[in-house]
Amino acid sequence: MVKGRRISNLSFPEHYFMRAISSLALALALGPLAADDATAQSNACNTQLDVNLPAQCDELEVSHPIEGLENFRQLTTPDGGIKPGILFRSDQLDELPDAAIAELNEIGIETIVDLRSHDELETHPNSRIDSVDFDVNLPIGSDPADIAKIMPIEIASQIRPMWFEGKFHEIDELLEEHDVNLRQIRIDRYQDFATKFDPQVSRFLHLLTDDNNFPLLFHCAGGKDRTGFMAAVTLLTLGYSEEDVMRDYLTTNVYTYGELEQMVGKGPKSLRPAFGAHPEQIEASLQIIKDKYGSFENYRRDVLGISDEDVEAIKQNLLVQD
């Protein structure tokens, strides 16, 4: 494979706006977010908040080894079947401190797959990591002209001052008045992941067939939605179950619990579908695959063009061999 750094054009994703809302909450200093990993995990796994948790939450090995990355972790499974140090998922890699860059270089990340849009790459470019030899941009997002499908701009502009003033009830009323159903919008977006971005998903899986591309890190902005879908497709391709997919997907809620504690505990109810990982959202992706194509295997083979031989190559690269 000929390797080189490249960035291709992409489109505006729905997570971009929600990431800005999260930044607003942090700017308001609604509460301390820092905690050691053990305390954060204990708080998450025993929370009384309306937050979905992964199966066997207490058994997860949670750590934040890279400063500045809240949702960086290896793709793992309960059976330990995926090789350690080979495949990582993460939030975006912009403005990383020198210590974080050094840690990523130490890991030896060879390939970075960025699922963000061109606008995101322009405004939040990834930090340079010397070990990386191959940058791939596979945008999973909407066209800028489709932003009204997320939320009309005039409504979004009204939310900002309300948020700063702590008028969360007014935010709920505003969205209800304009019939903005964020829960359904989010479900629709997750269905889009599985129906509108076949070339990107196919390309990602084909990258996993080449052992020269590892260690590989894939990410979006928060490491939850687009990254969560790619992780799901990878796990299903490896032969893991939807239960395993859900466990990995909901692990984000443990890693990012400090932020969720503020958003879910104190933020407006109408915006909660955007905060954290929600089972119904990833389930929407998996269900539409089955509804449209009959099975994940049909989708993988006939839509994504990933042959049985490709699957064996991916397994050879990613799975611990007996």
Side-chain angles (χ1 to χ4, degrees):
M1 176 183 293
V2 178
K3 297 189 177 184
R5 292 186 172 271
R6 65 181 179 85
I7 292 179
S8 59
N9 290 334
L10 49 152
S11 49
F12 189 94
E14 50 85 25
H15 188 71
Y16 192 75
F17 170 74
M18 289 309 161
R19 185 173 175 85
I21 289 292
S22 297
S23 298
L24 287 177
L26 297 180
L28 283 174
L30 292 175
L33 301 184
D36 64 81
D37 293 330
T39 299
Q41 181 173 357
S42 177
N43 290 343
C45 293
N46 296 289
T47 186
Q48 298 300 307
L49 295 177
D50 183 18
V51 174
N52 295 104
L53 300 174
Q56 294 83 45
C57 182
D58 290 322
E59 298 177 9
L60 292 174
E61 294 185 6
V62 175
S63 66
H64 294 87
I66 310 297
E67 181 181 354
L69 295 179
E70 289 300 309
N71 205 9
F72 172 90
R73 62 187 193 265
Q74 297 189 56
L75 188 66
T76 60
T77 56
D79 66 354
I82 297 179
K83 296 176 183 177
I86 197 78
L87 187 60
F88 299 84
R89 48 175 297 175
S90 181
D91 37 336
Q92 68 187 24
L93 311 175
D94 63 317
E95 299 182 356
L96 292 181
D98 291 343
I101 294 174
E103 291 288 347
L104 291 170
N105 277 319
E106 183 68 21
I107 292 171
I109 300 298
E110 174 75 13
T111 302
I112 289 180
V113 179
D114 194 334
L115 306 174
R116 297 177 301 155
S117 73
H118 180 70
D119 286 346
E120 290 172 287
L121 267 66
E122 288 291 326
T123 57
H124 297 283
N126 282 342
S127 300
R128 170 74 188 196
I129 301 166
D130 289 338
S131 67
V132 175
D133 190 41
F134 195 23
D135 279 332
V136 184
N137 181 217
L138 302 177
I140 306 294
S142 302
D143 198 290
D146 294 334
I147 193 171
K149 291 169 55 180
I150 305 166
M151 185 179 298
I153 296 176
E154 61 271 16
I155 297 176
S157 65
Q158 293 180 62
I159 289 178
R160 181 182 176 87
M162 288 180 181
W163 188 286
F164 273 115
E165 295 170 14
K167 296 180 178 179
F168 296 152
H169 182 66
E170 286 83 348
I171 292 175
D172 292 336
E173 290 181 337
L174 175 68
L175 297 189
E176 182 178 1
E177 176 186 351
H178 291 274
D179 197 28
V180 177
N181 184 343
L182 192 56
R183 175 183 178 275
Q184 187 59 52
I185 290 171
R186 297 284 295 177
I187 287 175
D188 291 344
R189 292 295 293 117
Y190 268 74
Q191 291 177 329
D192 287 348
F193 294 160
T195 57
K196 295 185 176 181
F197 304 102
D198 301 337
Q200 290 93 322
V201 180
S202 173
R203 173 64 169 147
F204 178 76
L205 290 178
H206 276 104
L207 288 171
L208 301 184
T209 66
D210 189 336
D211 62 1
N212 291 312
N213 291 331
F214 300 99
L216 182 148
L217 182 153
F218 61 105
H219 74 94
C220 53
K224 171 172 65 75
D225 300 316
R226 293 164 285 184
T227 298
F229 177 72
M230 284 299 197
V233 169
T234 301
L235 289 171
L236 292 172
T237 298
L238 290 172
Y240 284 97
S241 68
E242 291 189 9
E243 290 75 17
D244 294 318
V245 166
M246 188 63 69
R247 180 182 184 272
D248 171 73
Y249 177 69
L250 294 180
T251 296
T252 284
N253 290 344
V254 182
Y255 272 74
T256 62
Y257 179 75
E259 182 175 319
L260 278 179
E261 193 172 21
Q262 308 307 322
M263 300 300 174
V264 176
K266 301 178 182 179
K269 293 181 180 179
S270 56
L271 296 180
R272 289 181 186 175
F275 304 141
H278 298 266
E280 63 185 14
Q281 294 177 12
I282 194 67
E283 285 170 352
S285 294
L286 303 184
Q287 187 60 50
I288 201 168
I289 287 173
K290 289 180 280 191
D291 290 345
K292 284 180 66 71
Y293 310 116
S295 68
F296 177 79
E297 286 70 25
N298 291 342
Y299 168 70
R300 181 263 299 169
R301 183 184 59 250
D302 301 333
V303 179
L304 302 181
I306 301 297
S307 67
D308 293 345
E309 290 76 16
D310 292 329
V311 171
E312 288 306 310
I314 295 171
K315 289 181 175 180
Q316 183 70 29
N317 290 334
L318 294 184
L319 296 183
V320 175
Q321 303 301 312
D322 295 330

